[in-house]
């Protein structure tokens, strides 16, 4: 829906992801870790691709997920 797309662009990308303080690739890597922890696979895949597009190495994406992997595996 056009209204939702406009809100998403203005809020999520305009206010959250574009804020100063962290490089965009680092911000995306943090999103990757959070989404992995929440089990949000579709969004995780999207942000993983975004991290790489913004300059993170693919290995960094894997390392970010591995850093929290022990928290993600059921006991």
């Amino acid at each position: 829906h056009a209204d939702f797309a406009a809100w998403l662009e203005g809020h999520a990308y305009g206010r959250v992801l574009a804020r100063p303080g962290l490089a965009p690739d680092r911000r995306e890597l943090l999103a990757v870790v959070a989404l992995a922890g929440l089990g949000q696979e579709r969004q995780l895949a999207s942000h993983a691709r975004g991290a790489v597009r913004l300059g993170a190495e693919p290995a960094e994406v894997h390392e970010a997920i591995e850093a929290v992997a022990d928290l993600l595996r059921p006991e």
Side-chain angles (χ1 to χ4, degrees):
H1 191 275
D3 290 338
F4 179 69
W7 176 85
L8 185 64
E9 184 177 319
H11 179 71
Y13 295 107
R15 291 186 60 203
V16 176
L17 294 176
R19 290 190 331 203
L22 283 175
D25 64 325
R26 304 296 101 177
R27 193 176 307 275
E28 286 288 356
L29 287 172
L30 290 171
V32 164
V33 170
L35 291 164
L38 293 169
Q40 300 296 314
E41 293 183 17
R42 285 183 64 190
Q43 292 90 344
L44 169 60
S46 176
H47 284 274
R49 288 189 301 272
V52 172
R53 280 191 211 113
L54 290 169
E57 295 294 327
E60 291 179 299
V61 174
H62 292 287
E63 290 169 7
I65 295 170
E66 283 298 314
V68 295
D70 61 326
L71 302 172
L72 307 177
R73 294 187 182 111
E75 294 186 27

